[in-house]
Amino acid sequence: MVLSEPYWDHHIPLPKLGPLHSRLVTAFVALICFINSYNGDFVFDDSEAIINNKDLNPDTPLSNIWKNDFWGSNLSSNSSHKSYRPLTVLTFRINYLLAGGLHPIGFHMLNVALHCVISVLMIDVFAILIGGLVHDGRGVKLNLSPKASFLAALFFAAHPVHTESVAGIVGRADLLCALFFQLSFLVYCKAFQGGDKKFSVLWIFSSILLCAVAMLCKEQGITVLGVNAAFDILMVCCHSFGPNDLWINFYFLFSTQIGGLVSSGLLMRWRIMGTGPPSFTEVDNPASFAENVILRIVNYNYYYSLNAWLLLCPWWLCFDWSMGCVPLIKSATDWRIVWPLLLWCCLMGLVYQALCSQDSNKRRTLTFGLVLLVIPFLPASNLFFRVGFVIAERVLYLSSAGYCLILAYTVGYCSCHWKKHKVCAATLTLLCVNVARSAQRSQHWRSEQSLFTSALSVCPLNAKVHYNVGKNLADRGNQSAAVKYYREAVRLHPKYVHAMNNLGNILKERNELEEAEELLSSAVHIQPDFAAAWMNLGIVQNSLKKFDKAEQSYLNAIKFRKKYPDCYYNLGRLESEGFFLNALKINPNVASCHGNLAVLYHRWGKLDLAKRHYELSLRLDPNAPGTKENYNMLKRKLEQRQRTVG
């Protein structure tokens, strides 16, 4: 296929570097953006996907990664999110094996290295999308747009929206998916490098295989088939075949067979996952639960406009956008309805330029930019199935490549029509700002404390943000500060049972038992199968001497969680205390009952009650075996406590 060199490539304000140097510079920019995350902690979703995931442990059978989801739950379980990413989990397991345990530095370093490799490969992807497949007489591929592809790759390497995927270890799924997405596309292009109506079946099937690998890293990998199809239509067919060529009929027949193979692969994956889709709640994606179809469509489009804004101005970044962070648009008078209208005006303008421009290079570049922007985003669009989030920055990792391609074209176009030094200054400023923002944002992802607190200014209405800040404070021993954030989380979302449970726990330890009982009772009323809340409610009721209610709460906890050793222990404690108290009601002068009850209270930390029953036991039987020694130990502990208080 013969294509002309884009005229605007020469005007881009960058030096024309050789292939090796442009790759080294791109890798270096990607590295400096995210290198300061290399020694960060496990944060946020890393706890479930890595720390608590038994599939990473070398002692767990390797076959389990093919049966369980990304989080280590069985795919057939109703609680599974059906995220089937065994190859990503395999890389986590290899990290664990090489490091000899859960040491985050190795996990982070591999993520940063993957982003560098992906950014470098983007040069080849952009070169094909802008300049097409052109080879010299020896079959070596030529880059007709060296500056444009280099600039687009630099924009991609430094984009701050990638921070979640690179600095968050769970983002490994997006990185691996993007890598095999690129390889699938590049291999697919290689199938047509011969030109003259020839293509290689071997390379095409290799591309399909790489697509399958991308899907086993993350579901989004299937979208490479759409990009490959667009490449067929816009490049291969238009430049290799005539309008009446019978070869096209065979080609599309062959493509249909490929579609059959892909459909079979999807069916097999569906069977592995189980017959049911994942279940999400209203707080995960409130727009998808709106009864009015028009409201759902309006809010989905508002979400699209917010994603577009994150690409244009990635300053307001947040680890979670659910639970009230983005209030629903409920009427036509809501001013936010302007944003989806503006988005579609911009998209329609780009589509018009892509289809109607007299410049073939402009048409090709803008069209492929839109293809790469839109197609990888489709699985997150709610068009085909409900997703479990409002906005997720990680899903923009691949789509941002389309934005970067359009941005590079814009720089080239402006360089042709505006003063070049001004365009150069604006481009360098944008790159420097993105590098600085990426470095700053990756710093936030180094610890949960910095990550969660950074979200307070972005999503102050998000109950989950306040909950996570409170939980982090409580884990670090600052329970007084944690109470404030837990209360705010419950205020913002009155049915937030996890915040109620954690707040009830702290109030229980502060001996504010009535409010703790009220909160925990509300939690189990909202979610009757919340085993942990039932157990904590039982502990509070036991402290309030509501022994019958406490026993029932413990039994409810065990009903919903069969393997619950802490609850069995508390139930045993409750029954033993009740046994001794009932025995003393019958005969209050049994020294052994007072002595055993004193030991029980001693172990629970109820020292005043323990002292009382030790003294009663010794009064009834001064020679009771062991009681005097235990009483002396208790007195020493009380004296020590008194000195500490004094």
Side-chain angles (χ1 to χ4, degrees):
M1 58 186 72
V2 180
L3 297 172
S4 59
E5 184 176 354
Y7 71 91
W8 47 272
D9 184 77
H10 297 292
H11 297 275
I12 288 179
L14 281 180
K16 187 173 181 179
L17 302 179
L20 176 60
H21 290 99
S22 61
R23 282 161 171 74
L24 289 175
V25 172
T26 302
F28 177 73
V29 170
L31 184 66
I32 61 172
C33 284
F34 303 105
I35 189 59
N36 61 352
S37 67
Y38 84 97
N39 61 345
D41 299 330
F42 293 115
V43 298
F44 195 39
D45 286 340
D46 296 344
S47 296
E48 290 302 315
I50 297 172
I51 297 174
N52 299 330
N53 191 344
K54 295 180 180 178
D55 290 345
L56 271 63
N57 195 316
D59 295 332
T60 303
L62 187 61
S63 59
N64 279 22
I65 68 171
W66 303 99
K67 302 173 186 176
N68 296 337
D69 66 15
F70 185 56
W71 313 95
S73 301
N74 193 286
L75 283 165
S76 61
S77 170
N78 292 332
S79 62
S80 172
H81 281 195
K82 311 296 183 183
S83 47
Y84 188 61
R85 304 166 189 173
L87 295 185
T88 302
V89 179
L90 180 61
T91 66
F92 291 154
R93 186 169 172 134
I94 293 171
N95 271 129
Y96 184 105
L97 186 64
L98 293 176
L102 290 174
H103 304 293
I105 187 169
F107 290 83
H108 283 295
M109 287 302 294
L110 182 53
N111 272 28
V112 174
L114 283 170
H115 178 63
C116 293
V117 171
I118 292 164
S119 300
V120 168
L121 283 176
M122 278 298 176
I123 296 177
D124 295 315
V125 173
F126 290 140
I128 292 172
L129 295 180
I130 298 171
L133 285 173
V134 182
H135 299 81
D136 61 15
R138 297 171 296 173
V140 177
K141 186 176 67 177
L142 298 177
N143 185 351
L144 296 182
S145 54
K147 289 187 177 183
S149 57
F150 176 37
L151 179 61
L154 287 177
F155 283 138
F156 180 87
H159 205 296
V161 84
H162 297 159
T163 312
E164 181 176 0
S165 297
V166 182
I169 297 171
V170 167
R172 176 82 57 83
D174 302 279
L175 298 172
L176 290 172
C177 174
L179 176 63
F180 289 105
F181 181 106
Q182 291 175 309
L183 294 175
S184 176
F185 173 74
L186 292 172
V187 167
Y188 194 79
C189 295
K190 196 171 181 64
F192 302 96
Q193 67 180 7
D196 299 326
K197 306 177 185 179
K198 296 178 182 179
F199 61 88
S200 168
V201 175
L202 177 62
W203 285 116
I204 289 177
F205 274 102
S206 298
S207 174
I208 295 172
L209 179 62
L210 287 166
C211 171
V213 173
M215 285 181 63
L216 292 175
C217 296
K218 190 177 181 181
E219 301 78 2
Q220 195 180 14
I222 194 174
T223 58
V224 70
L225 298 176
V227 176
N228 290 348
F231 181 80
D232 278 347
I233 296 168
L234 299 173
M235 296 286 272
V236 179
C237 292
C238 290
H239 293 278
S240 296
F241 307 121
N244 300 315
D245 202 322
L246 293 177
W247 187 261
I248 297 179
N249 295 328
F250 172 78
Y251 180 75
F252 279 105
L253 178 63
F254 184 75
S255 298
T256 304
Q257 299 303 315
I258 293 175
L261 290 171
V262 172
S263 300
S264 300
L266 288 174
L267 179 61
M268 183 178 297
R269 185 181 187 280
W270 184 258
R271 288 179 64 86
I272 291 172
M273 288 169 51
T275 55
S279 59
F280 299 111
T281 62
E282 185 174 353
V283 296
D284 296 319
N285 186 356
S288 65
F289 286 84
E291 295 182 3
N292 190 306
V293 177
I294 302 299
L295 281 181
R296 283 205 298 270
I297 293 172
V298 169
N299 280 283
Y300 287 158
N301 279 274
Y302 180 55
Y303 294 167
Y304 304 157
S305 67
L306 290 177
N307 279 282
W309 182 247
L310 290 180
L311 292 176
L312 288 167
C313 184
W315 194 259
W316 290 274
L317 300 175
C318 186
F319 72 93
D320 183 89
W321 293 83
S322 64
M323 283 196 170
C325 187
V326 184
L328 287 177
I329 294 175
K330 296 182 178 179
S331 70
T333 59
D334 194 320
W335 68 271
R336 293 176 297 164
I337 205 168
V338 171
W339 295 114
L341 294 175
L342 182 61
L343 170 67
W344 281 107
C345 287
C346 293
L347 286 177
M348 289 301 101
L350 284 172
V351 169
Y352 176 80
Q353 292 293 320
L355 297 180
C356 302
S357 174
Q358 298 299 313
D359 181 357
S360 61
N361 286 315
K362 179 180 180 180
R363 290 199 309 269
R364 182 171 63 251
T365 303
L366 291 180
T367 300
F368 278 126
L370 288 168
V371 165
L372 204 52
L373 176 71
V374 173
I375 290 180
F377 183 76
L378 290 177
S381 66
N382 289 286
L383 290 178
F384 305 109
F385 46 81
R386 176 186 292 161
V387 299
F389 51 83
V390 176
I391 297 172
E393 294 158 19
R394 59 188 177 274
V395 304
L396 293 174
Y397 190 81
L398 271 170
S399 291
S400 65
Y403 163 76
C404 293
L405 179 55
I406 294 171
L407 184 58
Y409 168 77
T410 304
V411 171
Y413 178 83
C414 292
S415 299
C416 296
H417 297 85
W418 297 355
K419 292 183 178 179
K420 200 166 183 178
H421 69 275
K422 291 185 177 181
V423 177
C424 180
T427 303
L428 288 176
T429 300
L430 178 59
L431 279 171
C432 291
V433 168
N434 279 355
V435 169
R437 177 57 176 153
S438 296
Q440 179 195 39
R441 186 60 183 158
S442 60
Q443 182 73 21
H444 291 161
W445 276 85
R446 284 168 53 87
S447 70
E448 289 194 331
Q449 180 185 2
S450 58
L451 178 64
F452 297 155
T453 53
S454 70
L456 288 172
S457 60
V458 180
C459 285
L461 300 178
N462 188 337
K464 187 182 287 188
V465 169
H466 291 274
Y467 168 81
N468 280 288
V469 173
K471 186 175 183 301
N472 181 258
L473 287 167
D475 290 342
R476 292 187 289 117
N478 193 349
Q479 294 189 335
S480 298
V483 166
K484 181 182 75 170
Y485 289 101
Y486 282 143
R487 289 193 189 280
E488 182 65 8
V490 175
R491 187 191 71 80
L492 291 169
H493 186 61
K495 294 184 178 181
Y496 200 169
V497 293
H498 294 285
M500 292 177 181
N501 178 59
N502 289 11
L503 178 56
N505 264 339
I506 294 178
L507 295 176
K508 173 192 70 179
E509 294 171 7
R510 294 166 61 168
N511 209 35
E512 299 177 27
L513 299 176
E514 287 77 12
E515 186 181 359
E517 183 184 24
E518 182 182 347
L519 278 166
L520 293 165
S521 297
S522 298
V524 297
H525 178 74
I526 295 167
Q527 186 177 325
D529 63 347
F530 194 177
W534 276 116
M535 188 192 76
N536 291 322
L537 178 60
I539 295 172
V540 172
Q541 290 167 335
N542 181 56
S543 299
L544 290 169
K545 300 191 182 302
K546 299 179 180 181
F547 301 118
D548 291 339
K549 288 185 176 181
E551 181 180 6
Q552 187 57 51
S553 295
Y554 289 144
L555 292 173
N556 284 336
I558 292 169
K559 173 184 174 183
F560 296 115
R561 189 189 297 178
K562 302 298 183 185
K563 298 179 180 179
Y564 206 165
D566 289 343
C567 193
Y568 281 110
Y569 171 72
N570 286 323
L571 181 59
R573 286 187 1 174
L574 170 67
E575 289 179 351
S576 60
E577 182 184 24
F579 171 81
F580 291 125
L581 289 173
N582 286 332
L584 290 171
K585 280 182 182 179
I586 298 170
N587 185 355
N589 297 320
V590 179
S592 61
C593 284
H594 284 291
N596 285 316
L597 189 57
V599 171
L600 201 62
Y601 287 140
H602 194 165
R603 289 177 178 172
W604 293 354
K606 298 181 178 182
L607 303 186
D608 293 331
L609 282 172
K611 181 175 182 293
R612 176 189 167 197
H613 285 281
Y614 276 138
E615 290 172 349
L616 287 171
S617 177
L618 289 170
R619 189 182 307 161
L620 293 167
D621 182 6
N623 298 317
T627 303
K628 194 167 186 178
E629 290 80 1
N630 290 334
Y631 181 52
N632 289 332
M633 288 172 59
L634 176 65
K635 285 198 298 183
R636 287 195 295 272
K637 192 169 186 178
L638 287 170
E639 289 169 0
Q640 183 180 4
R641 185 175 71 173
Q642 187 66 32
R643 285 196 300 270
T644 304
V645 173

